[in-house]
Amino acid sequence: MTPVGTPPSPPTEPLSPPADPLLSVRDLTMTFPGRRSRSAPVRAVDSVSFDVAAGETLGLVGESGCGKSTTGRMIVRLLEPTGGSVTYDGRDISHLAQRELRPLRREIQMVFQDPHSSLNPRQTVARIISDPLLVQGSAAVDARRRAVELMELVGLIPEHIDRYPHEFSGGQAQRIGIARSLATSPRLVVADEPVSALDVSVQAQIVNLMERLQRELGLAYLFIAHDLSVVKRVCDRVAVMYLGRIVEIGPKERVYTAPAHPYTRALLSAVPLPDPVAERGRERITLLGDPPSPAAPPPGCTFHPRCAKAQEICRSEAPTLSVATPGEPRQVACHFPEAA
């Protein structure tokens, strides 16, 4: 169901990464019913499209509440989309039954934001890591052997395998979560804010671990985050979301050095620079007001109430995601994008 006065976004066809995509998302939409009987439904994700190639890392960034985590949960089918499609390795998995999903879950796994809340406090680390294998039919002795191997792989002491989650620090608990996600040898991992709940020093360790695992195992990542400095470190391409829609997507170098959408420029201007002189001299862009409610988004471009460049067309017509500069592998949804 579409909120009154909110037409669905037009279909988009994003530029594919260099290789054939392992994951292909097209016009993915998630609409939640209103909390009250007469409340308007909330379109949390609105016609999102992107591809992820094998071995690639795509960063999905934006403010809290923009729909990043909901997108990730639909991809791993913790939520069923209300529209659009998710195609994995050439197969549409958008509406598969649970029985059909079981073998597929070997290849698509997820790392959650809060390491301690995502681990069962009543289970030992051995059980937590081996559970995905037991569900898939592995023998208990083989699953435990695999759990020991994964403990070593993620930098934990195998002798601690019979301890409980509360006996580990936040960084160690996140390593356990990563080990669990690797138990079935997946090809795609959806990492939902995997370092945001950790101390800065520990964040670097987890990022280094994820990069090493990607090189060694050939993993593809959908890396969901709001910290643009972390995304710049780990991602090959970046997709910027605002109020449920992708407003800019392209190679990391182009998005960071020459952002085309005013929202992307504002996000990047808030990232601290390590050089104090450069930090004092650069332009800081302040957005007007707060993000609109997804239950009652503004007409036209949803960013126009906060955009200093907004004109009349922005208030009446929603921009489509299109190529920013001819011949460039980047797209932007803006009537007046910044010149490259």
Side-chain angles (χ1 to χ4, degrees), residues 107-168:
E107 300 201 17
I108 305 176
Q109 287 290 324
M110 190 167 189
V111 176
F112 297 91
Q113 177 177 357
D114 187 338
H116 280 295
S117 67
S118 66
L119 304 178
N120 190 331
R122 297 186 177 185
Q123 291 185 348
T124 64
V125 172
R127 181 58 188 266
I128 288 171
I129 297 177
S130 62
D131 246 359
L133 292 170
L134 297 174
V135 169
Q136 294 290 334
S138 296
V141 63
D142 295 331
R144 182 179 175 88
R145 186 183 305 114
R146 175 63 172 160
V148 171
E149 294 173 355
L150 289 168
M151 288 277 285
E152 292 182 307
L153 182 64
V154 300
L156 294 173
I157 301 173
E159 287 74 15
H160 294 169
I161 196 168
D162 290 313
R163 293 185 177 183
Y164 289 86
H166 73 270
E167 300 178 75
F168 295 87

Side-chain angles (χ1 to χ4, degrees), residues 243-254:
L243 210 65
R245 302 178 183 180
I246 290 181
V247 296
E248 185 167 357
I249 183 171
K252 170 182 64 179
E253 294 78 11
R254 292 298 295 154

Side-chain angles (χ1 to χ4, degrees), residues 33-51:
R35 293 186 178 181
R36 301 175 183 176
S37 59
R38 296 184 179 180
S39 299
V42 177
R43 179 165 287 205
V45 178
D46 188 0
S47 300
V48 164
S49 300
F50 58 80
D51 295 329

